[in-house]
Amino acid sequence: GGGGGGGGDAPSGLASAGARLIEVAAEAGLARAGAAYLLSAFAAERQGATAAQWAEALSRPALPFVLQLLGSLARTHAGTQQLLLAPEVMGTIHALEQHSSSASKAIGTWAEALLEAMRDAGLAATVDRLRQSTQASKRKAALDQRQRILSSMGMSAAAGDGKGPGSKRVVVSAAATAALIGDLQEEVGHVCVVCGEGEAYRPGETLGVYVFTKRVPLPSLCEPCGGAASAAHASPVSRGSPFLPYGSALGSLGLGGAVAPSEACHTTVSHFNTIHVRCHREAATAERSLKQPKQEWEGATLRNSRTRANALLPFWGATVGEEAYGACVEQFWAQAQSTGRADAPRPKLLAHNLRLLLLRFACEEQFSHDARGGGRESNIRLLPYLVQMASYFLDAKGEAQRRSHRRSLA
């Protein structure tokens, strides 16, 4: 019976021993010494210290133990609580609370635990007032910084619609608006259907136009164009009609292997939707990785106003280098040859392509039979770029000939 009674008194005995230990520590001046340590260690820091000074003070080895000791004493010892309520001491502890804890020394955690111990001891109002004051100061500093940034850009913050305490709207001054508009450079010429920019904002990047190209027999040079009825009753190879492949029997018969590559050329139509070669390539890559992947020209059809496309005819812009344009030209011819092989010098194939396109206008033929889009206006805009590519090939060939002549004359 006596043993049971002694076991029941053990917790109360430990509690009384703990309380006595706290009294002894307080009487020995440990709380006062701990507070003095904090004030001396962070005296310069309270005046506005640099990051290096803070780091030096936080590296003191006794700091974690001092914070833990003060936290233990502040839980139950009223004298320690009154000692820590001094503004300088509270300010130092609160500053330490905001310091992020490192893996080796949890300074911020111990400082926060000390303030929470004071809150639990009936000093919640004092601790909360200190924290709220700091938050308000930080918020004001952030708003002032925001206003300075806006002012440097000719803008200001004004009251918003009142739907929240932080509701604000940014007002741009007339002078800033005029300056921004003045700095904007107007795009002159073609713009990309994806990014909306042209050579002014993306200089050096090759633009091109979506086209639909098709392999057809070489047109005859001696027979004028005829109507669809007469073309439907004649073999396109034997008749040799220049009547246009789209919207005629020639377009619907299909070539298969009936026409030799040396007797074929390509004809091209367009809805004239321009795009950067890079934008097209990036869009095609993105569409292949969709949940329901799209093929390259399936996605291009959507960007081309739902007009079929199977090639990208490049433009040689003022800021585009010859090497970049030449690489895009090679891609175009690879795309054209994928529709059917045509063996002839490229300038000659382009000349036939131009002739077939002009015959469409002369014979008032439709342009959208196979491409399902594009008309007279969009296709007349294609002519200069076919001529440009032909000139590029002729100039390249002429340069080789000029180099040969110079070597023979040297």
Side-chain angles (χ1 to χ4, degrees):
D9 293 338
S12 59
L14 289 173
S16 61
R20 178 58 186 155
L21 181 60
I22 290 174
E23 289 290 341
V24 170
E27 290 172 1
L30 292 181
R32 188 174 302 278
Y37 177 84
L38 291 179
L39 293 178
S40 63
F42 293 93
E45 284 67 21
R46 292 196 305 276
Q47 306 300 323
T50 63
Q53 290 173 318
W54 262 105
E56 182 181 356
L58 290 169
S59 65
R60 294 174 180 253
L63 184 58
F65 301 105
V66 170
L67 292 172
Q68 293 177 65
L69 173 64
L70 292 176
S72 299
L73 295 176
R75 285 189 179 89
T76 56
H77 192 260
T80 300
Q81 295 165 8
Q82 292 303 316
L83 180 67
L84 297 180
L85 279 176
E88 289 186 342
V89 179
M90 284 290 287
T92 301
I93 297 172
H94 180 52
L96 292 173
E97 177 190 25
Q98 300 173 70
H99 179 75
S100 58
S101 300
S102 64
S104 57
K105 295 181 180 180
I107 303 299
T109 302
W110 291 121
E112 181 183 4
L114 172 53
L115 291 179
E116 288 299 318
M118 296 179 69
R119 289 184 83 257
D120 296 340
L123 302 172
T126 303
V127 175
D128 291 345
R129 187 164 54 250
L130 180 63
R131 288 172 170 171
Q132 290 168 4
S133 175
T134 301
Q135 290 176 358
S137 298
K138 287 183 176 180
R139 188 179 301 111
K140 183 178 183 303
L143 290 174
D144 291 344
Q145 177 67 10
R146 178 174 181 248
Q147 186 59 46
R148 283 194 294 271
I149 294 173
L150 290 174
S151 298
S152 67
M153 300 171 64
M155 305 177 186
S156 62
D161 54 10
K163 294 182 179 179
S167 176
K168 294 283 184 181
R169 60 190 179 92
V170 175
V171 179
V172 184
S173 66
T177 303
L180 288 172
I181 293 176
D183 290 340
L184 289 177
Q185 186 176 359
E186 189 70 23
E187 283 285 5
V188 178
H190 305 303
V191 295
C192 176
V193 295
V194 172
C195 68
E197 296 175 347
E199 283 199 86
Y201 287 96
R202 295 182 69 173
E205 293 200 21
T206 309
L207 273 166
V209 61
Y210 282 129
V211 298
F212 188 85
T213 187
K214 182 177 181 179
R215 179 177 180 260
V216 294
L218 286 172
S220 171
L221 297 177
C222 59
E223 190 171 349
C225 61
S230 61
H233 295 289
S235 165
V237 179
S238 61
R239 182 174 181 270
S241 172
F243 190 80
L244 305 180
Y246 295 90
S248 66
L250 187 57
S252 60
L253 288 175
L255 294 174
V259 178
S262 60
E263 299 175 348
C265 65
H266 294 99
T267 182
T268 304
V269 291
S270 176
H271 204 149
F272 214 84
N273 286 301
T274 55
I275 186 172
H276 284 111
V277 174
R278 176 181 292 183
C279 290
H280 167 77
R281 184 167 56 247
E282 291 174 352
T285 301
E287 288 164 347
R288 280 196 297 270
S289 60
L290 294 175
K291 189 175 182 180
Q292 294 183 344
K294 290 186 175 69
Q295 297 298 320
E296 177 182 8
W297 300 111
E298 182 183 359
T301 297
L302 299 177
R303 293 186 291 277
N304 194 32
S305 306
R306 298 190 177 275
T307 300
R308 290 177 65 191
N310 58 10
L312 192 59
L313 182 75
F315 302 157
W316 195 353
T319 63
V320 178
E322 182 176 356
E323 185 176 350
Y325 177 70
C328 295
V329 166
E330 292 301 322
Q331 291 178 8
F332 166 75
W333 281 99
Q335 293 159 357
Q337 292 285 10
S338 69
T339 67
R341 183 178 167 190
D343 290 344
R346 290 179 179 179
K348 181 177 179 181
L349 292 175
L350 285 167
H352 285 303
N353 205 337
L354 280 164
R355 179 175 180 236
L356 289 172
L357 188 57
L358 291 170
L359 282 171
R360 293 179 191 277
F361 289 97
C363 300
E364 298 185 356
E365 286 294 324
Q366 62 175 320
F367 297 84
S368 59
H369 181 266
D370 282 342
R372 301 171 190 167
R376 297 174 65 85
E377 183 178 350
S378 59
N379 281 279
I380 199 67
R381 300 171 69 189
L382 188 64
L383 290 171
Y385 300 103
L386 292 173
V387 174
Q388 183 186 56
M389 187 180 291
S391 300
Y392 165 76
F393 286 123
L394 292 173
D395 289 343
K397 183 178 180 181
E399 179 61 27
Q401 291 176 346
R402 284 190 290 271
R403 285 198 301 268
S404 176
H405 290 322
R406 279 197 298 265
R407 283 196 300 269
S408 65
L409 293 174

